Amino acid sequence: MTEVSRRDWLLSDRPASRRQAKLGQAYRTWLSFRTNWLAMVGLAIVVALIVVAVFADVIAPYDPVIGGDLRTERFLPPLTDGHLLGTDDLSRDIFSRIVHGSRLTLMVVVLVAVIATPIGLLVGTSAGYFGGWVDTVLMRLTDIFLAFPRLILALAFVAALGPGIENAIIAIAITSWPPYARLARAETLTIRDSDFINAARLQGASSARILWGHVTPLCLSSVIIRVTLDMAGIILTAAGLGFLGLGAQPPQPEWGAMIASGRRFIIDQWWVATMPGIAIFIVSLGFNLLGDGLRDVLDPKARK
Amino acid sequence: MSDVTNEGGRDSALLRFLWRAVKLLATVALTFLGLLVVTFLIGRVVPVDPVLAVIGDRASQSVYDRVFIELGLDRPLYEQFWIYLQKVLSGDFGESFLTKRSISDDLARVFPATMELATVAILIGTIFGIPLGVWAAVRQGKFVDQFVRVFGLIGYSAPIFWLGLLGLLVFYARLQWVAGPGRIDISFEYAFTNKTGLMLLDTALQGQWAAFRNVVSHIILPAGLLGYFSMAYISRMTRSFMLNELAQEYVITARVKGVPEWRIIWVHALRNAAVPLVTVVALSYANLLEGSVLTETVFAWPGLGQYLTNSLQNADMNAVLGGTLVIGGIFVGLNLLSDLLYSTLDPRVRRQS
């Protein structure tokens, strides 16, 4: 099949199968997404993050944890002796540490999304679908979690669970789901009484089946956009916890913790704390751009 | 409420208002109760033994048992919660293991510093954010609009503690334009008496202008930084509210009547956009509490945020939970305030409910 005919097949206005229709829809979304160059920059950054995280061992020229010679290789400025971004107080190559740190960042983002999204979807769709006292109880609970500033609640949880990257992820996930629950509830309310839901109910489908099979898929796209938009915030919260010494523990090359340890040398060896900050900035900027672009394409309400 | 007659109109309006107030209060009370449950439960799962934290690990078994009972740890969980509830409602958050003082005293001592920082920050954010947002909306799609968007995106993406460190490096260490960490230089610390805890106010009221200038030079960098983050949010929201207003028919009418364009933008449209903007400003004030935790750590600012992180690093659980509760309470209060302001300022909302 040549390129042109594949394109025609995708854009056909008389799709022969459900699969073709779905693929065609996805292709059209992609075409309109592609015109937004800022969103494409965001996508490129996120893809680059994944690639760097996967091939960290190949990309990083030095070991992220074991440093070089403490007498001669401490605090080398950027671009000396093959150290692209210089070395830190333990003679470790900062570039290699940042490259390996991308794994931790990616892990935080993925795990928080995997934990928080289902909780938010479950709470939100159940509240919206069942209504009544279930709705009241679940939404009160959601409001209570929303009543804490996120970082503060995460701090309190980490204080209770003990510092460490796993506990930081759990704490961030616990504080992230409420907005998704609200969103899923609002979406559910608009489709709860539609004909196809009633039809499914008449056919004897159980509530669980309707929620999982019919309601959740329709809430999914708006929740995913919201999660993508939140990614930058999640990365910043994780870095903040790391900076306060409550997230990843040394010698793990987590970016926030790297800034915290470089803080003491900021006046004379500015690069030690500056470089990991640039990495955090680029990655969260990438997620912000991607999220904005996705919202423009997938959310018809936001389109102007 | 269609059965309301004209004679009973005023009475039922009052009744409705009262009913709404009661409902609102009930909601707030429930949320506070929820906050308490969360902090109580967090306090229960801590691996730190609360008895050992009080008596140290060298006390005898009999002392241990006595304190165990004194703290109410032998009773069922709901009774313990009841005790906790009564204590917190009477303003007793327990004693800090670190400072050996009551936590409510500690919090009252550190709170003004955070309030001063957040207030200056929100002023900066509002004064710059609203005009920028209006400007971006008027010149939609043009250079200014793009600039405001990118400027805001940087604010959304940069870690605040990192920008703070860079700010200290550039403006304090290298350029020496501003003073360094802390609220005031030690040489000015006793130049005035502490009355309100707000140093800008104290120094100005007592005419200590040299000290005042020093305080300004200390606060400008952290407040400017926090203000930048709220400015990013405020300008973005202002832009979208203004775009909404400028597309309305009354704007066209005003243009047809020959009202000058600046009057249409800054008087007609902005006044209507101001109603939701009040909510936005109140919400960003609440968000500043969150930003202040990291900012205060970087700038050694002796406020709520630094108190919280200090207690955290020393496993001072009572202080952490007390601070969390107070911040949560302020957060709820500000949200409530923004709701109330919204319904008082917008005649449509006022009439509807």
Side-chain angles (χ1 to χ4, degrees):
Chain A
M1 214 188 277
T2 61
E3 186 58 38
V4 177
S5 73
R6 187 177 295 155
R7 192 186 145 89
D8 287 343
W9 181 79
L10 280 168
L11 290 180
S12 153
D13 45 10
R14 271 190 233 104
S17 65
R18 260 173 76 169
R19 190 172 132 260
Q20 186 183 357
K22 264 188 183 164
L23 284 174
Q25 188 62 42
Y27 185 65
R28 279 191 195 92
T29 308
W30 164 244
L31 284 182
S32 88
F33 182 81
R34 215 171 54 176
T35 57
N36 182 348
W37 69 271
L38 275 177
M40 287 302 282
V41 171
L43 183 66
I45 293 174
V46 173
V47 170
L49 173 75
I50 296 169
V51 170
V52 168
V54 169
F55 296 105
D57 293 323
V58 187
I59 296 170
Y62 296 93
D63 190 280
V65 177
I66 301 164
D69 193 333
L70 282 176
R71 282 163 305 177
T72 54
E73 293 179 30
R74 288 182 78 211
F75 294 127
L76 292 177
L79 295 174
T80 42
D81 297 344
H83 296 288
L84 191 61
L85 304 179
T87 59
D88 65 5
D89 54 322
L90 297 173
S91 307
R92 295 173 296 199
D93 180 49
I94 295 176
F95 177 70
S96 304
R97 280 177 70 72
I98 289 177
V99 166
H100 278 273
S102 67
R103 289 188 168 169
L104 294 173
T105 303
L106 198 63
M107 181 172 99
V108 169
V109 164
V110 170
L111 285 181
V112 168
V114 166
I115 300 171
T117 315
I119 301 178
L121 276 174
L122 186 69
V123 171
T125 51
S126 318
Y129 181 74
F130 293 113
W133 65 268
V134 177
D135 186 25
T136 313
V137 169
L138 288 178
M139 280 303 114
R140 271 296 104 226
L141 195 71
T142 311
D143 284 348
I144 289 166
F145 274 86
L146 279 175
F148 282 107
R150 230 162 87 177
L151 180 69
I152 312 280
L153 186 58
L155 280 179
F157 272 114
V158 175
L161 298 168
I165 187 128
E166 297 86 2
N167 290 340
I169 290 171
I170 294 172
I172 297 173
I174 291 175
T175 54
S176 300
W177 63 268
Y180 312 147
R182 279 233 171 143
L183 196 61
R185 173 176 177 269
E187 295 273 325
T188 309
L189 284 179
T190 62
I191 52 175
R192 178 172 70 176
D193 296 321
S194 22
D195 290 340
F196 75 97
I197 298 283
N198 286 330
R201 208 176 291 150
L202 281 175
Q203 284 171 359
S206 65
S207 296
R209 192 189 165 88
I210 292 175
L211 274 182
W212 178 245
H214 300 278
V215 178
T216 307
L218 288 173
C219 302
L220 212 53
S221 79
S222 54
V223 171
I224 285 177
I225 298 168
R226 183 63 207 257
V227 172
T228 318
L229 274 171
D230 273 2
M231 285 298 172
I234 290 167
I235 290 171
L236 291 179
T237 309
L241 287 175
F243 179 74
L244 294 174
L246 298 165
Q249 297 297 305
Q252 279 186 315
E254 199 270 329
W255 296 342
M258 283 170 73
I259 297 179
S261 65
R263 187 183 162 189
R264 281 171 293 156
F265 320 112
I266 184 84
I267 304 286
D268 295 311
Q269 287 87 22
W270 54 269
W271 57 89
V272 182
T274 307
M275 298 306 177
I278 294 177
I280 300 175
F281 173 65
I282 292 176
V283 170
S284 57
L285 186 67
F287 275 109
N288 271 330
L289 293 173
L290 180 67
D292 270 3
L294 277 181
R295 187 177 48 189
D296 288 349
V297 174
L298 294 177
D299 188 359
K301 272 166 284 178
R303 208 178 291 160
K304 285 266 151 91
Chain B
M1 297 265 174
S2 54
D3 56 336
V4 176
T5 54
N6 260 343
E7 303 96 296
R10 181 168 295 173
D11 278 355
S12 74
L14 186 71
L15 271 178
R16 258 180 296 161
F17 177 77
L18 281 178
W19 173 236
R20 225 177 77 213
V22 167
K23 244 172 105 174
L24 203 63
L25 277 179
T27 314
V28 172
L30 256 176
T31 313
F32 269 118
L33 196 67
L35 291 181
L36 282 167
V37 173
V38 172
T39 49
F40 173 76
L41 288 179
I42 290 176
R44 292 300 130 182
V45 295
V46 195
V48 181
D49 187 334
V51 181
L52 289 185
V54 174
I55 59 173
D57 49 6
R58 284 199 211 141
S60 66
Q61 187 61 38
S62 62
V63 176
Y64 184 95
D65 292 340
R66 188 168 53 77
V67 176
F68 189 81
I69 291 166
E70 257 174 36
L71 290 175
L73 293 172
D74 54 333
R75 303 188 209 178
L77 213 54
Y78 63 88
E79 266 183 47
Q80 288 186 38
F81 179 68
W82 180 239
I83 297 169
Y84 179 70
L85 190 69
Q86 282 171 326
K87 275 190 174 171
V88 168
L89 285 183
S90 59
D92 175 11
F93 297 105
E95 189 184 75
S96 159
F97 304 134
L98 201 62
T99 60
K100 295 289 172 209
R101 271 179 297 204
S102 94
I103 284 162
S104 27
D105 285 356
D106 273 352
L107 290 174
R109 191 169 42 81
V110 296
F111 184 67
T114 300
M115 203 175 105
E116 188 171 50
L117 185 63
T119 308
V120 176
I122 200 74
L123 284 177
I124 295 175
T126 315
I127 289 170
F128 289 97
I130 290 181
L132 270 180
V134 171
W135 202 14
V138 173
R139 321 261 315 148
Q140 192 196 358
K142 301 281 169 49
F143 175 75
V144 179
D145 191 19
Q146 299 293 345
F147 174 78
V148 170
R149 179 160 180 224
V150 171
F151 200 55
L153 262 178
I154 293 174
Y156 280 118
S157 310
I160 191 165
F161 50 95
W162 176 69
L163 278 187
L165 281 175
L166 291 189
L168 276 177
L169 171 67
V170 174
F171 296 111
Y172 166 60
R174 295 282 153 87
L175 297 173
Q176 305 202 322
W177 287 357
V178 298
R183 285 180 86 185
I184 190 166
D185 282 355
I186 207 136
S187 50
F188 289 108
E189 204 156 341
Y190 301 102
F192 63 98
T193 45
N194 185 354
K195 281 187 183 147
T196 56
L198 305 171
M199 285 191 173
L200 283 174
L201 209 61
D202 279 339
T203 50
L205 286 179
Q206 293 164 33
Q208 297 287 342
W209 295 110
F212 180 78
R213 272 197 297 277
N214 186 259
V215 175
V216 169
S217 150
H218 273 278
I219 204 172
I220 195 74
L221 195 56
L225 197 65
L226 280 171
Y228 170 46
F229 282 82
S230 44
M231 185 178 76
Y233 181 55
I234 291 174
S235 64
R236 188 182 217 179
M237 297 314 277
T238 308
R239 178 184 174 273
S240 80
F241 294 148
M242 281 299 283
L243 280 180
N244 199 15
E245 291 302 328
L246 289 174
Q248 301 287 324
E249 281 173 357
Y250 71 83
V251 170
I252 302 171
T253 314
R255 278 202 187 115
V256 171
K257 269 167 49 184
V259 178
E261 190 66 22
W262 64 266
R263 215 184 138 76
I264 296 176
I265 294 164
W266 295 98
V267 179
H268 292 214
L270 187 60
R271 187 180 283 171
N272 283 307
V275 175
L277 266 181
V278 169
T279 323
V280 167
V281 172
L283 284 181
S284 4
Y285 197 78
N287 285 328
L288 283 177
L289 287 174
E290 192 169 0
S292 73
V293 172
L294 291 163
T295 315
E296 287 179 6
T297 313
V298 171
F299 288 92
W301 195 264
L304 203 52
Q306 208 197 27
Y307 181 72
L308 200 63
T309 43
N310 257 342
S311 323
L312 263 172
Q313 274 150 5
N314 293 293
D316 189 353
M317 233 19 229
N318 278 348
V320 172
L321 294 180
T324 310
L325 208 53
V326 166
I327 293 181
I330 297 171
F331 208 69
V332 175
L334 283 169
N335 275 313
L336 178 69
L337 186 74
S338 79
D339 272 4
L340 285 177
L341 279 176
Y342 189 77
S343 57
T344 352
L345 289 178
D346 192 334
R348 282 166 305 183
V349 180
R350 200 164 42 201
R351 214 168 300 140
Q352 253 174 28
S353 45

